Amino acid sequence: MLLRTLLLGLAAASLSPAWAVADDCGDAAALVQQAYPKARKNADGTSFTLEPHTSIALTFAYGDPPGLVCKIWPAHDDLLLVAVPLMEGSQPSDYAHAGDIELLIVDRKSRQVRQRLLQPGLMNDDAIAIRKVELDTGRYALAPDVTAFGLRIEMANNSLPNPFSETDLRLYAVDGDSLRMVLDGLVVGGNGGEGDTNCAGYFHTSRVSLAMSPAKHHGYHDITVVEQMDTDNPLPDKDGECQSHPGKSVSQTYRLRYDGSRYTALRGSKPWSREDAAGCD
């Protein structure tokens, strides 16, 4: 248990501090009512219903469907970024949820929605459940007049012998009056492995850092991605004490290019394959 806690801590520490927990919603209920005029506030006072059977939660507790997330955008501090999980009222099972997420850019003064983008299916989960939804306001300066923001979704299971967690990052940029995704589902952190729940096992962690490269394609800077991977093979010593046996840390560097529409990345245990990275130096 101590080892798994340490691994989870390492994965969390690898993420940018710009996506630390923040709650800038203010009057969340009023914000939802402004963005969704047809929404009906439920009797519990902590959620809304959109016909025919879509729910919007204002809060997020462990095991519940995700709730509203807001963050002031430092690159444009007159604007508020809002992530609104739109969950199906009738869930597939007690261990699964289904839903979309809508991203809003809101004028902080007037509370009017300037841009919005619906992302279907991003709130679907099952045994590997959504644990956290965060807005990432790191300085993703794609071009002189374009700064993107990120959406990070962390998913994990509850298995002691086979722990697993993963955090995905998507980047979004304003394009005129619209909002569009420019990077889809890059895995930026996670851990996994297999153990006997006491000590012995094999565990791995990965963490990814992003940096804007001076090189440009189609007017947008390339993104340099550094992935660091660590392993541990803990075993009990002769006195029965659990001892860590870390492997050699491995680091890989990739470069992501903009193709005129978006930066591409593969979903999976690594950001993308060597074949996808070929020719990107």
Side-chain angles (χ1 to χ4, degrees):
M1 287 296 291
L2 178 60
L3 176 65
R4 281 190 291 278
T5 301
L6 175 61
L7 292 176
L8 285 168
L10 286 172
S14 69
L15 303 177
S16 166
W19 74 288
V21 174
D23 184 6
D24 296 327
C25 292
D27 188 341
L31 183 61
V32 169
Q33 202 71 72
Q34 180 89 343
Y36 302 91
K38 295 183 179 179
R40 185 181 71 255
K41 194 172 185 178
N42 295 327
D44 60 13
T46 64
S47 63
F48 284 79
T49 297
L50 282 171
E51 296 299 337
H53 49 69
T54 299
S55 65
I56 300 173
L58 301 181
T59 59
F60 182 22
Y62 182 84
D64 290 341
L68 199 70
V69 179
C70 308
K71 196 168 187 185
I72 295 170
W73 195 0
H76 305 279
D77 59 8
D78 59 329
L79 300 176
L80 181 69
L81 303 174
V82 185
V84 186
L86 302 169
M87 308 304 297
E88 289 187 13
S90 177
Q91 301 301 334
S93 75
D94 292 340
Y95 304 100
H97 305 102
D100 310 326
I101 193 165
E102 188 163 28
L103 299 173
L104 312 176
I105 298 181
V106 177
D107 185 292
R108 290 180 61 195
K109 185 175 181 180
S110 68
R111 291 285 174 156
Q112 294 294 322
V113 177
R114 289 192 180 182
Q115 289 90 13
R116 63 200 308 160
L117 178 66
L118 181 66
Q119 296 282 263
L122 285 192
M123 294 293 97
N124 295 350
D125 67 7
D126 45 33
I128 300 175
I130 294 173
R131 301 299 189 205
K132 186 183 295 184
V133 176
E134 298 281 352
L135 290 161
D136 180 349
T137 55
R139 291 280 181 171
Y140 299 104
L142 307 184
D145 57 345
V146 180
T147 300
F149 68 89
L151 177 73
R152 293 179 182 243
I153 300 175
E154 178 186 324
M155 305 186 75
N157 65 11
N158 287 320
S159 173
L160 292 177
N162 299 103
F164 172 84
S165 74
E166 178 179 281
T167 299
D168 292 350
L169 170 68
R170 292 167 178 81
L171 294 181
Y172 300 86
V174 175
D175 186 359
D177 293 330
S178 64
L179 180 64
R180 64 188 183 90
M181 181 169 60
V182 294
L183 174 65
D184 184 11
L186 178 67
V187 178
V188 293
N191 71 76
E194 183 174 359
D196 63 4
T197 73
N198 292 314
C199 175
Y202 176 82
F203 302 96
H204 57 84
T205 65
S206 67
R207 49 194 179 274
V208 167
S209 62
L210 307 182
M212 307 312 299
S213 166
K216 291 184 179 180
H217 291 86
H218 298 278
Y220 280 16
H221 287 281
D222 293 359
I223 299 176
T224 300
V225 180
V226 179
E227 180 190 24
Q228 183 173 332
M229 294 160 286
D230 295 284
T231 60
D232 195 9
N233 186 199
L235 291 169
D237 61 18
K238 59 183 179 62
D239 298 320
E241 295 293 326
C242 192
Q243 301 295 334
S244 177
H245 295 278
K248 184 179 179 180
S249 182
V250 177
S251 180
Q252 296 182 353
T253 300
Y254 307 89
R255 184 174 293 178
L256 205 57
R257 288 178 176 175
Y258 184 67
D259 65 6
S261 175
R262 66 177 56 180
Y263 298 91
T264 58
L266 298 180
R267 296 178 63 85
S269 59
K270 294 184 179 179
W272 50 86
S273 68
R274 289 186 179 273
E275 289 76 14
D276 292 296
C280 290
D281 294 329

